[in-house]
Amino acid sequence: MRLFAFEPFIGKGIMCSDGAFWEHSRALIKPTFARTQIADLHLDDFGVHVERLIDLIPKDGSTFDLQPLFARLALDSSTEFLFGESVQTLAPDLTPSSAESFLEAYDYGQSCVGRRIQLPKFNFLTTDSRFWKSCQTAHEFVDQQIQKALLVTSKQKQDVDGRSRYILAQELLRQTHNLLDIRHQLLNIFLPAHEAIGVAMTNIFFNLARHPRIYTKLRNEILVADLKARTLTFERLKSLKYLQFVINETFRLNPTIGTNTRMALKDTILPTGGGPSGHGTSPIMVRKGDSVVFGFYGLHRMPNVFGDDVDVFRPERWEKLRPAHWSYLPFGGGFRVCPGQQLALTEIGYCLVRMVQAFERVENRDPTMDFVEHYKITTESKNGAKVAMVPSHL
């Protein structure tokens, strides 16, 4: 069902396939997101990119937008994680024009794909010459990364301790010589891997800048944990309860994916959603070929699950909150749940900890207080996250 919208941009892969092809794609990428890959190896490299991002943040109290910096962080991290080599857009004194062009093309391509999803029968309204040029730029960029991977003789990259890392681009090259298929598989993974941290981190700081009390409370938890000189591991990040509450609350209030759609492959009956009451408490018939659209924005604002103050950013609600199954779905659910969920949450937690350690305060500099949505494939802040950061003197 998604293939029409996605195929020109990212090709056929796990994001837009079903059946045996989807199962093959899922099995292929699963080792990339294994917990040991994230916990033991990836965070070391990811930390370098986070430090570079922190170095680029103005320390003089001037206003700037965090959104493009987080987009570059996501690009540097995801290219290293998937291709084995980062494009290093955050590195000092480097101007990698091909990576910057890719980021611009990628952003515009996403916007067009989002419109193609919403208006599948009006293709003339959802594509233009810039879209096709963006597709070409994205394809050429990934093809360059594939060519670099071809030059790597070993299947795995080893760090100074002799540990090995599963590099998806290298593994794909070992399994097939079809470079077009490899490009499609990589783009299908790059899309969610990139968006998960870039959009989420922007949304987190959008909210923290408007709630200084919450930022102070989060900072106190992190300072008490004395993590500055200690290695940040998967387990240590999970142990920071208020940190997890802030992340959960951001995904609840500002889900990175606003809606999703599924098509029925056979006649079936959903247990709720129908009936004359208007509350959807009765069963409903779904015929083969029918599309079912579900919105995470509305799902995550159900008062009977999250309380009467569902429109308020209040991480404390998660102290006792245990949403019922299928009531909170920041990464989807079922057998098509996002395979990179733990990677995304770990990167977000790591980046948030390091930034809160480095800055005593974050101040909102956006006159528009409300979150204004910009719909692409994902849903991001139209106004970014315009802030000023006050450095820590600890």
Side-chain angles (χ1 to χ4, degrees):
M1 188 174 70
R2 295 176 177 176
L3 195 58
F4 162 79
F6 281 83
E7 189 172 25
F9 190 47
I10 63 173
K12 187 178 181 181
I14 193 171
M15 290 284 292
C16 49
S17 62
D18 291 302
F21 190 89
W22 177 86
E23 292 176 359
H24 166 71
S25 298
R26 180 87 175 193
L28 196 62
I29 68 169
K30 189 175 181 180
T32 308
F33 300 105
R35 180 170 168 177
T36 53
Q37 292 286 322
I38 300 169
D40 296 340
L41 300 171
H42 175 63
L43 283 181
D44 293 339
D45 293 330
F46 183 68
V48 174
H49 304 308
V50 173
E51 291 304 315
R52 288 174 174 172
L53 180 146
I54 291 173
D55 289 342
L56 292 176
I57 292 176
K59 310 299 191 297
D60 59 359
S62 58
T63 301
F64 72 104
D65 189 359
L66 274 167
Q67 189 173 61
L69 287 179
F70 285 138
R72 289 163 63 185
L73 171 67
L75 180 61
D76 286 2
S77 172
S78 54
T79 51
E80 182 162 45
F81 193 68
L82 297 177
F83 305 136
E85 180 180 348
S86 171
V87 294
Q88 303 189 69
T89 63
L90 292 171
D93 304 322
L94 288 179
T95 55
S97 57
S98 64
E100 295 289 356
S101 298
F102 167 74
L103 199 56
E104 181 180 347
Y106 176 81
D107 184 71
Y108 187 76
Q110 268 205 85
S111 297
C112 291
V113 170
R115 292 197 296 269
R116 288 167 67 85
I117 293 173
Q118 296 165 354
L119 300 169
K121 296 183 179 180
F122 297 90
N123 189 36
F124 68 97
L125 296 175
T126 60
T127 56
D128 53 23
S129 61
R130 185 181 173 189
F131 170 70
W132 298 112
K133 177 63 177 177
S134 296
C135 292
Q136 181 183 353
T137 301
H139 298 167
E140 290 174 352
F141 175 80
V142 174
D143 288 345
Q144 290 172 9
Q145 305 308 311
I146 294 171
Q147 290 301 318
K148 290 180 181 179
L150 275 169
L151 299 176
V152 179
T153 55
S154 65
K155 170 186 172 182
Q156 296 173 318
K157 176 183 175 182
Q158 292 194 339
D159 66 9
V160 294
D161 298 324
R163 297 174 297 172
S164 60
R165 179 185 285 108
Y166 183 100
I167 302 297
L168 183 58
Q170 296 174 17
E171 185 61 27
L172 286 169
L173 286 165
R174 285 184 167 267
Q175 296 199 21
T176 178
H177 297 294
N178 186 333
L179 299 185
L180 182 62
D181 182 49
I182 292 174
R183 177 214 289 170
H184 292 168
Q185 295 285 357
L186 289 171
L187 275 170
N188 270 258
I189 298 305
F190 179 85
L191 193 153
H194 178 272
E195 290 303 293
I197 181 171
V199 175
M201 286 302 303
T202 300
N203 293 347
I204 287 172
F205 273 88
F206 177 95
N207 288 309
L208 290 177
R210 288 156 175 76
H211 298 87
R213 177 195 65 81
I214 294 174
Y215 186 88
T216 299
K217 184 174 180 178
L218 174 62
R219 179 170 162 82
N220 288 340
E221 178 188 60
I222 291 170
L223 294 181
V224 168
D226 191 25
L227 298 171
K228 197 159 191 177
R230 300 171 65 188
T231 300
L232 276 180
T233 64
F234 178 89
E235 288 74 17
R236 287 192 180 122
L237 290 170
K238 294 295 288 186
S239 71
L240 297 172
K241 298 301 182 183
Y242 199 67
L243 175 79
Q244 300 303 321
F245 296 164
V246 168
I247 295 171
N248 288 348
E249 184 71 349
T250 299
F251 275 116
R252 183 193 70 81
L253 199 61
N254 310 115
T256 55
I257 301 294
T259 62
N260 209 337
T261 307
R262 292 288 184 263
M263 179 180 288
L265 300 179
K266 61 181 180 180
D267 292 347
T268 188
I269 295 176
L270 296 179
T272 59
S277 67
H279 298 293
T281 56
S282 300
I284 184 171
M285 174 72 178
V286 180
R287 293 181 172 85
K288 179 181 179 180
D290 286 348
S291 296
V292 178
V293 180
F294 43 102
F296 300 115
Y297 182 94
L299 179 69
H300 293 173
R301 282 171 167 77
M302 295 175 62
N304 62 318
V305 177
F306 298 101
D308 293 332
D309 59 343
V310 291
D311 293 318
V312 177
F313 183 72
R314 185 171 64 84
E316 286 79 4
R317 78 176 74 246
W318 292 89
E319 291 175 355
K320 297 182 179 179
L321 180 62
R322 300 293 183 272
H325 192 49
W326 299 105
S327 296
Y328 176 67
L329 301 171
F331 294 93
F335 64 91
R336 294 193 73 129
V337 67
C338 175
Q341 176 176 349
Q342 290 306 321
L343 169 67
L345 292 174
T346 303
E347 287 185 339
I348 291 166
Y350 184 102
C351 184
L352 188 51
V353 166
R354 290 307 187 211
M355 289 188 67
V356 170
Q357 287 174 327
F359 296 96
E360 184 177 337
R361 296 197 313 277
V362 55
E363 300 174 357
N364 175 49
R365 295 292 175 86
D366 187 350
T368 302
M369 294 298 290
D370 293 337
F371 188 91
V372 181
E373 293 87 356
H374 176 210
Y375 296 104
K376 302 190 296 184
I377 299 173
T378 54
T379 304
E380 65 181 25
S381 169
K382 183 177 181 179
N383 297 325
K386 298 179 178 66
V387 301
M389 307 288 287
V390 179
S392 172
H393 298 292
L394 296 178

